[in-house]
Amino acid sequence: MGFAEFIENLARDDGKTRAYRRGLLLCLGLSILYKAVYFSGLVAAMPREILVDFDSFYVASRLVIAGEIEKTYYFATMYPAENALLGSTNYVGWAYPPQFELIILPLALMQEGIAFLLFIGASFLAYVTILARMAGRNLLPILILLLLPIQVNIASGQNGFLTAALIGLTCLLLQRRRAIAGLPLGLLIIKPHLAVAFAVYCVASGRWRTVAVAAATVIGTSLLATLIFGAGVWPAYLDGTRDASQNLSNGLFPLFRMISVFSALMTSGAPFAPAMAMQLVVTTTTIGAVIVAALRFPVNRALAVTVFASLLISPYAYDYDMPMLAIGLALLLPDLSAMARPGERAGIYLALFVTGAFGYFQTVLPHDVGPAKTLLVYDLSFVLRPERLSLAGIALAFCFALIWHVCNRDWRARPQTV
């Protein structure tokens, strides 16, 4: 049995497969519960020394509820606030739009472990519910292929489940030709670079009502953030994004966990300018592929291409964003066995797994980085070590190219009316 057949056999609708699926979901639920206990800081055997992503969410929420939202966007004020949480010396930057601060605002009203359980537990439940509806009996193989990025998202307390749920809901509504698909698409303003490919798809396919709803959602949430936080939040946010861009150009991010072509070239020794130029080539090519897919492919295949394209457009894409690719697989798998040869399917599955595994294993393998050896650390000693390559972006680009090749092979496929 080949690798492709092994993965696809996990979609069998029998008692054993259903038991495996329930067991895997139970294990993921227990993992969330374990991390909630960890973030609570109440268990002496689980000491916390290093800040991770959820800590920055929690600190930001406390600054927001104290009426000091502008402090989240500046190192001089955010770093001491983060340092006060654990006494840690590492720094997790903040450059999220004010709309995301609306979402995390309630977290400050509870203890951090409970806040983690609420935020990750609720977003994971939404993610799995939408994914199960889209994937059907393909849920188990999809979860296995993306198990490591899913676990990374749990370990760091990131928002990958939330963004993936929004993308899944967008795809479900676009398949039904509902203009309200613009609502979850507009809510992706919390991570705007992930919405670019879907905006291109909607324009190319003539979904103007969806575009209008998305634009209204962005405008409405911006006005709400301004009403609650004040107009001063926007200059601070722009300062924060400028600082983040500068830090990216200087390599002051954990590039080994990024999944972009840019990060692959930077960690391989390429200077910033050539790496960014190649990223722009990838971005342009990917956007072109989305436009062609929107005009030529059936809706499910076009949306699958759009989902995968979403992580290739920006140089700033992380392994914790990868749970959204499960939505693309759910759209693609029903047709994949009929369109692709076994070797092509194996290549797609393997490239997808490698994309998620590369940063994960680079993180957990031992490195001499001093006393800080905790998973998912934003520490400059992690960033600047030359052996920490980021080849995940190459694997993801290869996966996308294979998907495009397979979908584009059927020249007779007539796209559905949009």
Side-chain angles (χ1 to χ4, degrees), residues 62-202:
R62 298 205 300 188
L63 288 173
V64 171
I65 209 164
E68 300 175 323
I69 186 172
E70 290 86 356
K71 290 184 177 181
T72 63
Y73 294 108
Y74 298 102
F75 174 84
T77 49
M78 185 63 166
Y79 175 72
E82 290 184 343
N83 180 261
L85 185 67
L86 293 179
S88 172
T89 58
N90 71 303
Y91 172 63
V92 184
W94 185 268
Y96 285 98
Q99 286 91 336
F100 186 61
E101 311 223 33
L102 288 171
I103 294 174
I104 65 168
L105 179 61
L107 300 182
L109 302 176
M110 57 197 84
Q111 198 274 342
E112 189 176 6
I114 298 173
F116 173 90
L117 187 61
L118 175 65
F119 181 78
I120 296 297
S123 59
F124 178 74
L125 181 61
Y127 168 64
V128 169
T129 300
I130 293 170
L131 179 59
R133 182 166 185 173
M134 298 180 69
R137 66 185 198 178
N138 287 316
L139 180 62
L140 180 60
I142 290 173
L143 288 176
I144 288 177
L145 286 172
L146 289 163
L147 184 60
L148 294 180
I150 287 172
Q151 187 56 41
V152 162
N153 200 87
I154 294 172
S156 62
Q158 253 291 344
N159 54 23
F161 297 140
L162 175 59
T163 53
L166 291 173
I167 286 171
L169 188 56
T170 299
C171 290
L172 277 173
L173 293 170
L174 285 172
Q175 283 183 298
R176 298 177 181 179
R177 302 176 181 85
R178 299 283 300 277
I180 196 65
L183 177 59
L185 178 57
L187 291 176
L188 275 174
I189 189 63
I190 63 173
K191 275 195 173 178
H193 58 287
L194 298 182
V196 172
F198 281 91
V200 171
Y201 169 83
C202 288

Side-chain angles (χ1 to χ4, degrees), residues 155-299:
S156 62
Q158 253 291 344
N159 54 23
F161 297 140
L162 175 59
T163 53
L166 291 173
I167 286 171
L169 188 56
T170 299
C171 290
L172 277 173
L173 293 170
L174 285 172
Q175 283 183 298
R176 298 177 181 179
R177 302 176 181 85
R178 299 283 300 277
I180 196 65
L183 177 59
L185 178 57
L187 291 176
L188 275 174
I189 189 63
I190 63 173
K191 275 195 173 178
H193 58 287
L194 298 182
V196 172
F198 281 91
V200 171
Y201 169 83
C202 288
V203 171
S205 58
R207 309 261 187 155
W208 299 111
R209 290 188 300 166
T210 300
V211 172
V213 173
T217 301
V218 172
I219 294 170
T221 55
S222 299
L223 291 174
L224 179 61
T226 304
L227 180 64
I228 294 176
F229 301 138
V233 70
W234 296 104
Y237 166 60
L238 293 176
D239 288 342
T241 56
R242 278 193 294 268
D243 289 345
S245 298
Q246 185 62 45
N247 289 336
L248 182 64
S249 66
N250 292 332
L252 300 182
F253 280 100
L255 296 176
F256 70 95
R257 283 190 44 229
M258 287 188 177
I259 55 174
S260 64
V261 171
F262 165 83
S263 61
L265 294 174
M266 284 281 285
T267 58
S268 299
F272 173 80
M276 185 57 73
M278 182 55 67
Q279 178 65 48
L280 290 174
V281 171
V282 172
T283 299
T284 304
T285 303
T286 303
I287 289 175
V290 170
I291 294 172
V292 173
L295 296 174
R296 177 182 297 162
F297 297 166
V299 171

